[in-house]
Amino acid sequence: MYYDISAFCLFFVFGIITIFLLIQLRKADKIAKPFLLTMSIFFLCILIGQILIYIFNIATKFGTTITVGTPNPMQTIRITGYFLTIGGALPLIYVLERSMFQKSLIKEKHIVTIIQFLMVISLIIFDLLFLFFQFTDTPILLNIAFIMGLIVTQALFFGGGFFLIGLRSSGEYRRNSLFVAFGYILRVLLNVFSFLYIYRLGASPTQSNLTALTIFMTVINVLNIIAILIMAFGLLKIYKKSE
């Protein structure tokens, strides 16, 4: 029950942030609209992705009822959820590369966006092959490697990038940049821990493991709400400051 409540609270927070951004988007000028639009896409994709992952977790008891090598439509829901959660950041990364960073390799060449795009395409191709042919352990680990690669690249861009911006700035800009870095890194760490925890304990469908998993995911959801509020606060403050 507590996992359900924490999940719905998480959905509520993402939903409120998305609605707020869409309202601000309607009132924004031409310069601010790309930032607000991509932020709205970012949070909306995370919201939908988290709902799909929640549906998968509830329907399959965190994947413990799915037999490896046997096709299951719920796998499509989980993969779509992960894709939206990770891929939703691409438009925002593109806009931030152009407006927040001075290095030509990032600002003009969009190297981070290109790397992320290629990894997302590779992940989609691999997951489609997985759904059709139902690979076993080794390719599944390769899939995890793709997901982790995307997460690490985004963490370096958001967390590392805004951390460096914060160190080179002063006053409120420094504080807000560090908020973004801290909130995003915290969220990444929480998602990585939950992903690995589910992969390890979710493979063993004993009642004690499932109970521990549910408690763990409840705590993760609560901490995720805190992390995303910190990140959203920093991003919105930076946006307000740059108006």
Side-chain angles (χ1 to χ4, degrees):
M1 181 181 70
Y2 291 114
Y3 171 67
D4 296 327
I5 293 173
S6 67
F8 281 106
C9 287
L10 186 65
F11 303 155
F12 178 77
V13 169
F14 280 122
I16 290 296
I17 293 174
T18 304
I19 292 170
F20 173 79
L21 289 171
L22 290 173
I23 292 172
Q24 293 298 310
L25 177 63
R26 293 184 61 186
K27 302 184 293 183
D29 57 30
K30 188 176 180 180
I31 297 175
K33 278 190 174 182
F35 180 69
L36 287 171
L37 176 61
T38 53
M39 270 191 69
S40 302
I41 293 171
F42 174 66
F43 283 104
L44 180 61
C45 285
I46 293 178
L47 171 61
I48 298 172
Q50 290 296 312
I51 291 174
L52 293 177
I53 292 171
Y54 169 78
I55 292 171
F56 172 85
N57 288 340
I58 294 299
T60 67
K61 294 184 178 179
F62 299 93
T64 59
T65 61
I66 293 179
T67 304
V68 175
T70 302
N72 191 305
M74 295 306 297
Q75 291 171 331
T76 306
I77 292 178
R78 175 173 59 176
I79 289 171
T80 304
Y82 281 130
F83 169 71
L84 286 172
T85 302
I86 297 171
L90 280 176
L92 180 58
I93 287 175
Y94 179 82
V95 170
L96 289 174
E97 278 179 318
R98 215 171 37 179
S99 58
M100 300 292 295
F101 293 88
Q102 300 304 316
K103 294 286 186 182
S104 61
L105 191 63
I106 296 177
K107 187 179 182 68
E108 298 172 8
K109 305 298 183 182
H110 295 286
I111 188 66
V112 180
T113 300
I114 291 172
I115 292 172
Q116 287 274 292
F117 180 77
L118 291 175
M119 293 181 74
V120 166
I121 293 299
S122 300
L123 182 62
I124 292 173
I125 293 172
F126 180 87
D127 284 339
L128 287 173
L129 292 172
F130 171 78
L131 289 173
F132 279 113
F133 298 105
Q134 293 297 308
F135 298 130
T136 52
D137 290 344
T138 302
I140 288 175
L141 293 176
L142 182 61
N143 187 46
I144 293 173
F146 274 125
I147 293 174
M148 289 302 176
L150 283 163
I151 291 173
V152 168
T153 308
Q154 289 184 6
L156 288 174
F157 178 82
F158 276 101
F162 278 98
F163 182 75
L164 289 176
I165 290 173
L167 291 180
R168 294 170 181 172
S169 306
S170 59
E172 288 187 24
Y173 204 83
R174 167 178 285 185
R175 183 197 66 187
N176 296 329
S177 296
L178 293 178
F179 272 147
V180 175
F182 176 75
Y184 194 85
I185 290 296
L186 177 58
R187 185 173 174 275
V188 166
L189 291 175
L190 291 171
N191 288 341
V192 169
F193 283 140
S194 62
F195 186 82
L196 294 176
Y197 197 89
I198 289 174
Y199 182 75
R200 291 287 300 276
L201 286 188
S204 178
T206 64
Q207 188 59 45
S208 60
N209 276 351
L210 288 176
T211 302
L213 194 55
T214 303
I215 295 171
F216 177 80
M217 290 303 297
T218 301
V219 175
I220 288 292
N221 282 341
V222 173
L223 293 176
N224 238 322
I225 292 172
I226 297 172
I228 206 66
L229 286 175
I230 292 172
M231 178 188 168
F233 175 82
L235 282 171
L236 289 172
K237 283 292 185 179
I238 289 174
Y239 157 70
K240 289 292 184 182
K241 199 72 175 177
S242 61
E243 279 187 312

